[in-house]
Amino acid sequence: QKEVEQNSGPLSVPEGAIASLNCTYSDRGSQSFFWYRQYSGKSPELIMSIYSNGDKEDGRFTAQLNKASQYVSLLIRDSQPSDSATYLCAVNPNNDMRFGAGTRLTVKP
Amino acid sequence: SAVISQKPSRDICQRGTSLTIQCQVDSQVTMMFWYRQQPGQSLTLIATANQGSEATYESGFVIDKFPISRPNLTFSTLTVSNMSPEDSSIYLCSVDLARSTDTQYFGPGTRLTVL
């Protein structure tokens, strides 16, 4: 079982829709969770971090964490073509970050 | 966040040679990390660069192949030694600005092609 699993996609949504990105992790002791956005040819950029169960909102982005289910998600509201990128889920169980394979998101105008 | 720079941004190298990649941060940081991202793949941690001590390598990566230096709290180097085409990848450094948050920020990366 991979430590961090994501659907590779591609996920395609129309402009203005909600994009939902999902991630599961295997280390039940993990306490820190992150979403990074990576444009083609660029390095990962931190979007959100979440540490507690529930929702955390930042602008159009909402991260959701459920430690009992070992599940973390990212919702992007009012998706824009500029949101088209690969989204990486990362989990940091022991100060050694583990990344999922990423989900490629395409937002169509 | 912090300003993180890497040199070179890209290079094309011959098989059997070595390349040293530099990572510079504009503030002192405790933790610096080196990752590899092969084409179409996610990030794989190579090692944690510790200031004042030897780097800590992940399974599958060894010091002879990827020697790392960390002479101070703002700078680190990764050397890719005796390169083969399989080493063609993007190499990224990242920093953890404050241990309590364990959040990592990435440099722009070095795109390496080995012929």
Side-chain angles (χ1 to χ4, degrees), chain A residues 80-91:
Chain A
Q80 301 297 308
S82 59
D83 294 326
S84 298
T86 296
Y87 289 80
L88 302 170
C89 172
V91 178

Side-chain angles (χ1 to χ4, degrees), chain A residues 44-95:
Chain A
E45 170 193 10
L46 181 68
I47 300 176
M48 296 278 289
S49 59
I50 186 167
Y51 302 91
S52 303
N53 279 329
D55 295 359
K56 179 182 178 182
E57 187 174 317
D58 184 359
R60 295 186 296 111
F61 299 98
T62 299
Q64 299 174 318
L65 175 61
N66 184 325
K67 291 184 180 179
S69 300
Q70 296 175 245
Y71 176 92
V72 58
S73 66
L74 179 70
L75 300 178
I76 306 175
R77 290 183 300 281
D78 188 23
S79 296
Q80 301 297 308
S82 59
D83 294 326
S84 298
T86 296
Y87 289 80
L88 302 170
C89 172
V91 178
N92 198 342
N94 293 301
N95 205 31

